[in-house]
Each structure stands twice: as C-alpha cells, then as structure tokens.
C-alpha cells in the first residue's frame, strides 16, 4: 500500500483552471475562491475527500489553497470541470416554475451521484426546497447500505455522503436483484415524504444496474409509478437508448446528457470496502440487545408468525430426518424446521419429509443460518430507525439477539434482510429473501 504522507502544502492556482482531487485528501482555501459541484468555497472553507472518491474543482478567482494529498497523482489538472450539458440542465431545471421530480439514470460509474449532487446544489441556491433520494442500495451517498435514503438539503455540499439522511427505507440487501418490489416501494414512500414536507424539487439518484431483464423491470416500473417530470439519462455511447425507447413519456421529458471525462471508476473490491466503511459507521456504538418475538413484528420472514409444532409432529419429523429439531413453526402453506448443528440434512430424508407434508413448502435450516443476518429496525409508526445484525435466535425463549446502535425501547418491528454482515461491516454473503 502507498505510504500516506498527508503533510499540508500550499499551492497557487489561476482563475479559470480546473483540477481534480483524489481522496483521501483535503483542501482548504487560504485566499481567492474555488467551486466544486456548484458550491462556492471561500477563505477558511474546505472539504475532506474520502478514499476511492475524486472531486472536480473550478478556480473562480486566483487562489492559494492548502492541500493535503497522499501523492503527486492525487492532484490532476483537467480540461473539463463538468460537462457543458450538465450546466445547461441545471439552468433549465432552475427555471421550472412548478414542483418537479427528476430521475437520474446511468450505467455504473457514469457520474449519476455527482450530477444529482450538482443539481441539488444549484437548485438549493436558487431558493428551491430540494430533496435527494439515494435509491442505490449498494454505493450509498445517503443512508446505510441495503436501504434507500432521503435527505432534504439544508446547505449546499459537494459531498453528500457525510450528511445524515432524514428518512430511509430498508430494502434488505446491497443489491436490488430479487428485491425489485421493495426498491420501487421505497422510492415511492420517500418521494411522498419529501412532497408532504413541501419539497419543490425531488432528485432521485438510481443504481447503475441498467442491463438485463430485472434491471429494466426496476427502472420501467419505478418510472411508470412515479411519472417524474424529468428523466435524465447520462450516456457515453447511447447505452440507455433501448431502455429509453420503451418508456411512455407523455408526462416525462427525457433529457440526455454526457458522462464526465474524468469519472473515477471503482473496482468491485473498492465498492465492497466503501460499503464496509458505511456499515461500520451505522453500527458504531452498537450493543447486543434481546427482543422477544412475541412483542415485536417480524417482516420479510415467516419467523414468529406461525403456529407451534406439537410434540407428536416433532417426533415424527425427527424420525424421518434422523436428527434433532430445536425449533419449528407451522403455517397453512409452509413448514419451518431448525435442526441442531450435528443433525444431517440430506436430500433423501428431505424428500421423505416433503411427501409427509405434501401441501406445504418446506424449509429445513440450522441455527447458523440465523447468524449475522442484516436487519432493518422500525419504530411503531413503521419508519426505519436503523440497521441491526441478527446474531442469533434463542429458539427456546423465542428471542432475537440483535447487534445495533438503536435504542431497544424504540424498536417495534424487525425486517429480515437478504444478506449477512458482521459487526466489522464485512459482508458474509447473500441468503436470498424470505430464507426463513
Ligand atoms: N467531472 C468529474 N471530475 C472528476 N471526478 C468526477 C467527475 N464526475 C464524477 N467524478 C468522480 O467519479 C466517481 C464516480 O462518480 P459517481 O459516484 O457520480 O458515479 P455513479 O454513476 O454515481 O457511480 P455508481 O454507479 O457507483 O453509483 C466519484 O468519485 C466522483 O466524485
Ligand atoms: Mg452513484
């Protein structure tokens, strides 16, 4: 790894120059004036740029800047500050004289979040009440991984990711695949919240997942349900045309803009590291709490809402499976069995059991399947109040042991996510929705 010398250095820049700073780095204006994503920075003002991110600056007036960078390559001069059509778009939106919603579409690393931030800053400074909805459950600016976040901006900022969100909606995984319904519902819920709060411009930053059947489904249904006034498509080479052609746009105007030349692409491992960092932030100060399955609602899961198995059935199922059942729940159409770790689970015994409970879907799990499952925690109004990790279930006492920084007394419901993560924010894999 590169050695990080972050000693401050003073540098002079000329009006009209533009440059890019790569994080981790920081910038402070000593004299003169710079602009980043529509935000003016004056002497004494500055910003910290996190790792794996880069930020463009335009020198408005000759200036001296104090920079802390990791190496010479962290600072690059560039011809282009922002694409011209981004500035034109911001002017167009600033002149709209009614409430409006904008959906920003684009491939991975096309500049969606940067454009959303830039537009939000311009509109806010023109006096509009602006909300940003971050509908990307993986690479977050607003909110925790696995959620959709919304913030009503109170001040312009070139980096949204430090700002706490006002509201969020738990989807359950860092990937929307298999969770299209929740991803769309989340956007609708948060748009409504923003409009109820009197927001005049709602900007929706979406995932870079734009190819394939499910991605098309997500984008099409979301747009059909929202009927946004504007659909902004960032393209490099017409890659969104096929999606755009399929949209009914009587009430939405499609605006095509270009991708910046200097986007800093992120690798899969960098994306994972960023998610871990944000998970850790949301779990910081956490402790292990115990919630009774009788006192709270459990969603996106069958757990806790079925009937207890009687002793006779337990004996029968144990004989068939040749193992020890430590927990079971029965539903009209579903049977959930949890075996101790030593009990074998093989296809032939499962087949026999399936024949015995012919009218029910069957799920046979082990205690370890309930370990480190990402959860969303809701208050009694059904609002998301934080993340949790289901660390284990006390099947005897019907209790959930959850690691979270949310106060126990505020929790009225637990939503079971579709992935595993540990206290250090490391992802431990995808478990699918409604696993138990
Ligand atoms: N004009 C620009 N000059 C320099 N850096 C830029 C510019 N536009 C974007 N970037 C940087 O490139 C990176 C990727 O941009 P951004 O996050 O906006 O893309 P995205 O399409 O939202 O990506 P994702 O698909 O991960 O959501 C960011 O670090 C961003 O700050
Ligand atoms: Mg983004």
């Amino acid at each position: 790894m590169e050695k990080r010398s972050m000693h401050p250095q003073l540098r002079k820049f000329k009006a009209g120059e533009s440059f890019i700073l790569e994080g981790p780095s920081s910038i402070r204006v000593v004299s003169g004036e710079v602009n980043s994503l529509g935000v003016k920075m004056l002497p004494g003002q500055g910003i910290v740029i996190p790792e794996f991110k880069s930020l463009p600056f335009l020198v408005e007036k000759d200036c001296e800047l104090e920079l802390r960078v990791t190496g010479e390559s962290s600072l690059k001069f560039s011809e282009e500050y922002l694409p011209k059509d981004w500035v034109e778009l911001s002017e167009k939106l600033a002149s709209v004289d009614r409430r409006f919603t904008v959906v920003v579409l684009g491939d991975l690393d096309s500049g969606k979040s940067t454009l959303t931030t830039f537009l939000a800053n311009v509109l806010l400074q023109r006096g509009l009440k602006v909300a940003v909805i971050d509908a990307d459950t993986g690479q977050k600016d607003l909110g925790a991984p696995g959620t959709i976040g919304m913030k009503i901006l109170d001040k312009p900022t070139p980096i949204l990711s430090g700002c706490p969100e006002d509201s969020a909606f738990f989807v359950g995984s860092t990937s929307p695949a298999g969770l299209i319904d929740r991803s769309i519902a989340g956007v609708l819920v948060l748009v409504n919240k923003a409009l109820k709060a009197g927001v005049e411009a709602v900007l929706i930053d979406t995932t870079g997942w734009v190819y394939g059947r499910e991605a098309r489904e997500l984008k099409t249904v979301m747009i059909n349900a929202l009927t946004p006034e504007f659909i902004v498509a960032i393209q490099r080479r017409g890659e969104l045309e096929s999606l755009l052609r399929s949209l009914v746009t009587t009430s939405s105007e499609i605006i095509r803009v270009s991708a910046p030349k200097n986007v800093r692409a992120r690798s899969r491992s960098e994306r994972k590291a960023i998610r871990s960092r944000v998970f850790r932030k949301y779990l910081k100060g956490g402790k292990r709490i115990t919630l009774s399955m009788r006192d709270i609602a459990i969603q996106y899961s069958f757990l806790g809402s079925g009937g207890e198995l009687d002793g006779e059935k337990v004996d029968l199922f144990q004989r068939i499976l040749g193992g020890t059942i430590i927990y079971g729940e029965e539903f009209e159409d579903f049977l959930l069995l949890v075996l101790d770790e030593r009990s074998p689970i093989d296809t032939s015994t499962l087949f026999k059991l399936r024949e015995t409970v012919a009218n029910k879907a069957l799920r046979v799990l082990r205690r370890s399947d309930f370990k480190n499952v990402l959860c969303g925690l809701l208050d009694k109004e059904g609002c998301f109040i934080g993340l949790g990790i289901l660390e284990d279930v006390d099947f005897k006492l019907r209790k959930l042991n959850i690691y979270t920084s949310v106060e126990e007394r505020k929790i009225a419901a637990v939503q079971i996510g579709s992935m595993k993560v540990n206290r250090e924010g490391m992802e431990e894999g995808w478990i699918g929705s409604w696993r138990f």
Side-chain angles (χ1 to χ4, degrees), residues 93 98 133:
L93 294 181
R98 65 205 149 98
I133 293 177

Side-chain angles (χ1 to χ4, degrees), residues 319-332:
R319 268 203 308 279
I320 296 172
L321 288 168
T324 309
I325 294 173
I326 57 171
Y327 186 73
E329 275 190 55
E330 194 170 21
F331 306 76
E332 282 301 311

Side-chain angles (χ1 to χ4, degrees), residues 147-256:
T147 71
I148 296 176
M150 187 271 282
K151 170 142 194 91
I152 300 175
L153 297 197
D154 43 18
K155 57 174 193 316
T157 172
I159 299 181
L160 278 172
S161 50
C163 312
E165 73 277 20
D166 293 320
S167 287
F169 186 95
F170 185 72
V171 172
S173 167
T174 53
S175 160
L179 303 169
I180 304 293
D181 46 358
R182 292 179 209 166
S183 305
I184 295 165
V187 170
L188 297 182
V189 165
L190 295 177
V191 168
N192 277 336
K193 275 196 180 169
L195 294 178
K196 257 197 190 152
V199 165
E200 293 154 305
V202 184
L203 308 177
I204 301 161
D205 180 14
T206 61
T207 70
W209 190 46
V210 289
Y211 304 123
R213 184 185 61 81
E214 262 203 300
R216 285 279 287 262
E217 172 95 7
L218 169 61
K219 299 295 177 336
T220 309
V221 178
M222 184 181 73
I223 286 168
N224 286 351
L226 269 177
T227 58
E229 280 66 26
F230 300 98
I231 297 166
V232 173
I234 309 181
Q235 300 195 92
R236 293 200 172 88
R237 49 191 157 76
E239 63 270 26
L240 296 180
E241 287 307 324
S242 138
L243 166 65
L244 297 177
R245 214 171 293 138
S246 69
L247 299 175
V248 178
T249 52
T250 30
S251 51
S252 308
E253 183 182 346
I254 295 179
I255 303 173
R256 293 165 172 83

Side-chain angles (χ1 to χ4, degrees), residues 112-130:
K112 300 176 295 297
S113 304
T114 307
L115 175 58
T116 306
T117 308
F118 170 65
L119 294 176
N121 286 329
V122 172
L123 296 173
L124 183 68
Q125 290 170 98
R126 298 292 176 88
L128 269 72
K129 190 164 179 180
V130 180

